[in-house]
Structure formats: structure tokens, C-alpha cells
Amino acid sequence: DDSVQKSSMGSALVYCLIFFALLDLPLCRLQFATDVSKMKELKNEINNRLNGTDVSGCVQLIDMPFPKMGDSGYSELCETFCANVSDLSSTRKAALDSAHYYHPAAFLILKFYEKVAGIVPEPTPTCFEHFGTVDQSDHKADVASAACTLALILAALNFAASDESKGLKMLSMFGNGAVAACLAFFYISGGGDLVEATYSMSWCMVPPLMLGYLGFASKILDF
């Protein structure tokens, strides 16, 4: 009846919200890692323009005012190099801001953690130091986030299969196969990058699977 259907819909919505909140954490990390990895091309362009020129002497702090021509420490080479690194730094920050924007639950949890645990600010790197790390992400954390994402999706599908609804059991069976096939496709086409493959698969598979779950759990769809 209507009361049972509303109850089922309410429960399904709560489960979906919990699932999305949990999934938001590793997906935020995966989005940032994927965007940062694309900066390698920009970094390679700068390296090509340098053509082997030694820039280890560019020890000016990143994002700080550069010495003017005629001042002590001025170098035209380093001025151009630091300007390029500053642009890369801005791109990296934009990637972080974008990840926080599209994953608000992860951003709120991060801010709560920062408030409770506090943050020790890192020293400002030099242009040369920052150039070496600006396109890097913590690979172990990225792989762990990919594994966590897959575990959450598969756990959600198995949770759906525990219901007596035939529709949810079929959705679970289809979902497991579709997730594996989609992940394999992006992994192979992406050159064996598990982090990017997991992120792409999540965007393709999670929305339709959750809509299907809502439909079957609320009896809008049924067999």
C-alpha cells in the first residue's frame, strides 16, 4: 500500500545518502589525483622549452614577488621559469578546489579533521623544488582510495542482493558484471591506470545503479 511504499522509498533514500556520503571521500581523492596527473603534459612542455638548461639555481620561493631586473638575485631564466611553475601551482590548486566543490561531504569531513587535529603548515618551496612535485600525488593513498571505492560499490550491490525483491537481485547481478566490465574497459583504454579507471567507472556506473536501486526498493519498478 501507499504507507509501505513511502516507508520503502524513505529507507532507500537514507541508504543512498549514506552510500554517497561514504563514497564521496575516496572519489574526492580520485578526482584530484586524476586531474593532477594530467598536468604532466604541461610540465613536459616546460621541460622541452628548457631543453636541458639547469634551473637548480632558481631558489626563489614560489608565489612570492620575484626580484626586479637589476636587483640582487635577478635572473631572466629564473623569472620565466618561476612564472611557469606558478601557473602550474595555480592549476594544481584549481584541481583541489574542483575536487572539494564536487565532493562536499569529503570537504566538510576534511575541514572537521583540520579543526580537531590542527594543521602544521609546510614551508614554502622554491620554484625548483615545487616544479619537481607539482604534478605528483600520494600514489599509495590514491590506490587505497580506488580500492575503497570498489569495495563500497560492491558492498552496496551485495546489500541490494540481500533483499527479497527479484528486481534488486537482478540489479545486483547485472551491476557486478557491469562494474567489472566497465572497470576493465577504462583500465585498458587508459593505459593501465587503476586510479583513473576507477574514477571513470564510478561516474558511469554509480548513478544508474542507484536510480535502479531506488526504483526497485520503492516498488516503482518490480518483477
Side-chain angles (χ1 to χ4, degrees), residues 77-95:
L77 169 65
C78 288
E79 181 181 29
T80 302
F81 175 70
C82 286
N84 289 330
V85 176
S86 182
D87 289 341
L88 289 178
S89 181
S90 297
T91 302
R92 181 184 178 92
K93 184 179 184 304

Side-chain angles (χ1 to χ4, degrees), residues 157 166-176 209 212-213 216:
L157 289 171
K166 293 181 180 179
L168 286 176
K169 292 183 182 298
M170 290 182 61
L171 178 70
S172 177
M173 291 177 58
F174 166 80
N176 281 306
L209 288 175
Y213 173 75
F216 288 119

Side-chain angles (χ1 to χ4, degrees), residues 41 57 62 68-69 76 90 111 133 157 177 190 202:
E41 295 182 5
I62 189 67
K68 296 181 180 180
M69 185 179 297
E76 184 178 356
S90 297
K111 287 301 179 184
T133 60
L157 289 171
S202 300

